[in-house]
Amino acid sequence: MKALVWHGTTDIRCDSVPDPQIEHPRDAIIKVTSCAICGSDLHLYDHFMPGMKSGDIMGHETMGEVVEVGAESRGKLKVGDRVVIPFTIICGECDQCKRGNFSVCERTNRNGHIAAKAFGHTTAGLFGYTHLTGGYPGGQAEYLRVPFADATHIKVPDGVPDEKLLFLSDIFPTGWQAAVQCDIQPTDTVAIWGAGPVGQMAIRSAILLGAKQVVVIDRVPERLAMAEAGGAIAINFDEESVIERLNELTKGKGPEKCIDAVGMEAHATATIDSMYDRVKQATMMETDRPHVLREMAYVCRPAGTLSVPGVYGGLLDKIPFGAIMNKGLTIRTGQTHVNRWTDDLLRRIEEGQIDPSFVITHTVSLDEGPDMYKVFRDKQDGCIKVVLKP
């Protein structure tokens, strides 16, 4: 089969690789009908995340049709079922899964001993996302083996286009969880840093959850325009002061809720702390660029909440923890507990409350995927979200 394969920093190729096979009775094989490039994939493309090996298959936003089912999954899946595959691999049986904390499943990371050394405990296995999370082949391919398939799937109805359903795999529940973690009240201003795909979903989620006003901070015109179309107030951080504008919008009190939809590669360039981060990252003295976290801690209203769906991989410097503690801020983070939210979100799609396909700007073949990584990373051609058709 064809698949997008990582060979090193900024080196993704469309290679011929062996077809996946059933390896365990709980497995299933799906024929991929649609997959996508995620902003998190860019952390791998630029090799900011450790644990990648040459030959790893990329991708964790995938859907398709079941073509083979292991003996222990046949009660939940059958050949011909149409499914979305969450990026988190879950057993459905451990203590964390029983609590709905699916992204920290205790059983599915087959390299859990490595994750435990890095993080203190293992987290769930993830598709196409480094050997710290199991080294599982990803879904930017013609076929995908789904481990623990009886639990790791979302059945979806026929008659609804892939484009409306595909993002149940990651970015829609990720934006939703980011907003839910804020415990949004009708009087709240929610400020969201980053108007990429997750930021766009967080905007729509915050509005659906009843925020008084939603503000988004970015600098890419196409992203800001899409955010405004979704009901947000846009701040271009290259053209105006984020702090001054947020104070103006909140009468000097600051937003009650702040969401970091950027993560480890904040692209602010004109601030002293961002220059500091780039130097320290280049000299391997810091792994991530946390400009957004610092700015959120500074502007957030006392007793407010910082919600962090943006991915961080390692060690951060100069975090103003004194401000966080003295202002009484709550920080809520985490990879997304996808299956906790998908029944509700699928219902909202079917009822027409939201159509997640609004975020798609490019649809291409799998062969064109390697070139689209660069287009997406460099925000060329108005690119916000890429869907791949194997």
Side-chain angles (χ1 to χ4, degrees):
M1 69 172 184
K2 290 182 178 180
L4 298 191
V5 178
W6 191 89
H7 288 277
T9 305
T10 69
D11 186 2
I12 306 289
R13 304 175 200 170
C14 188
D15 291 343
S16 292
V17 300
D19 289 352
Q21 305 292 324
I22 296 287
E23 298 177 15
H24 184 276
R26 291 185 71 177
D27 287 355
I29 307 295
I30 72 161
K31 177 179 173 59
V32 177
T33 55
S34 296
C35 52
I37 302 175
C38 181
S40 298
D41 291 327
L42 298 182
H43 303 321
L44 310 182
Y45 180 68
D46 289 321
H47 207 184
F48 286 117
M49 289 289 288
M52 292 297 289
K53 295 181 181 180
S54 182
D56 287 344
I57 297 174
M58 299 286 290
H60 59 265
E61 294 182 295
T62 310
M63 69 176 294
E65 180 183 329
V66 176
V67 294
E68 190 175 354
V69 185
E72 292 181 21
S73 286
R74 288 175 190 156
K76 296 288 184 67
L77 287 171
K78 66 181 186 300
V79 172
D81 281 346
R82 190 180 185 213
V83 291
V84 171
I85 303 301
F87 75 95
T88 46
I89 302 169
I90 64 172
C91 74
E93 299 167 348
C94 69
D95 287 345
Q96 294 287 12
C97 283
K98 288 177 181 177
R99 290 173 168 85
N101 299 327
F102 298 114
S103 73
V104 288
C105 174
E106 297 168 328
R107 295 182 180 175
T108 57
N109 187 347
R110 59 189 180 183
N111 293 331
H113 63 290
I114 301 175
K117 287 181 180 178
F119 303 133
H121 297 84
T122 187
T123 56
L126 307 181
F127 287 103
Y129 214 75
T130 90
H131 290 262
L132 280 174
T133 58
Y136 290 99
Q140 290 171 4
E142 293 181 306
Y143 293 89
L144 174 68
R145 180 178 78 92
V146 182
F148 299 90
D150 53 318
T152 306
H153 73 271
I154 305 159
K155 281 190 185 178
V156 291
D158 293 330
V160 182
D162 278 15
E163 288 74 12
K164 287 188 175 184
L165 301 170
L166 173 61
F167 303 133
L168 288 169
S169 61
D170 181 356
I171 60 170
F172 187 16
T174 295
W176 183 261
Q177 179 172 301
V180 169
Q181 287 180 159
C182 289
D183 187 24
I184 292 170
Q185 302 301 309
T187 55
D188 282 348
T189 292
V190 179
I192 299 169
W193 277 256
V198 168
Q200 298 290 343
M201 297 299 170
I203 290 165
R204 274 72 176 178
S205 298
I207 290 170
L208 282 171
L209 290 168
K212 176 184 175 183
Q213 64 179 350
V214 177
V215 185
V216 67
I217 298 100
D218 204 293
R219 66 176 178 184
V220 179
E222 294 86 357
R223 290 181 170 193
L224 292 171
M226 183 179 282
E228 288 179 317
I233 299 166
I235 297 176
N236 185 328
F237 65 78
D238 275 350
E239 297 179 356
E240 58 184 330
S241 165
V242 174
I243 295 170
E244 290 177 6
R245 183 73 171 123
L246 284 174
N247 280 332
E248 177 187 326
L249 290 167
T250 61
K251 297 180 172 56
K253 293 186 176 183
E256 289 89 350
K257 310 294 165 60
C258 298
I259 295 175
D260 174 1
V262 176
M264 65 166 64
E265 292 186 71
H267 290 293
T269 55
T271 61
I272 295 296
D273 73 308
S274 62
M275 294 182 223
Y276 167 92
D277 285 336
R278 287 179 181 274
V279 170
K280 291 207 74 172
Q281 192 179 57
T283 56
M284 310 265 318
M285 297 176 71
E286 180 182 31
T287 59
D288 304 11
R289 303 195 297 264
H291 168 77
V292 168
L293 285 178
R294 297 188 193 106
E295 192 161 76
M296 290 202 317
Y298 186 77
V299 303
C300 189
R301 185 177 300 199
T305 298
L306 311 181
S307 177
V308 186
V311 172
Y312 287 87
L315 303 175
L316 315 183
D317 203 356
K318 298 291 187 292
I319 297 299
F321 210 81
I324 292 168
M325 181 271 169
N326 284 287
K327 291 167 68 175
L329 303 182
T330 296
I331 302 175
R332 301 190 67 182
T333 69
Q335 297 281 8
T336 308
H337 307 306
V338 175
N339 294 70
R340 184 190 293 184
W341 313 113
T342 47
D343 286 349
D344 181 34
L345 297 183
L346 177 57
R347 175 185 62 79
R348 291 174 186 270
I349 291 170
E350 291 182 299
E351 291 178 357
Q353 292 185 36
I354 186 169
D355 176 358
S357 67
F358 76 88
V359 79
I360 300 168
T361 54
H362 293 68
T363 301
V364 301
S365 68
L366 201 61
D367 291 337
E368 298 173 88
D371 291 336
M372 290 309 300
Y373 262 87
K374 186 176 187 304
V375 170
F376 183 32
R377 193 271 309 272
D378 295 341
K379 303 170 182 65
Q380 299 170 351
D381 193 31
C383 185
I384 296 176
K385 187 66 176 178
V386 180
V387 170
L388 305 169
K389 295 288 188 176

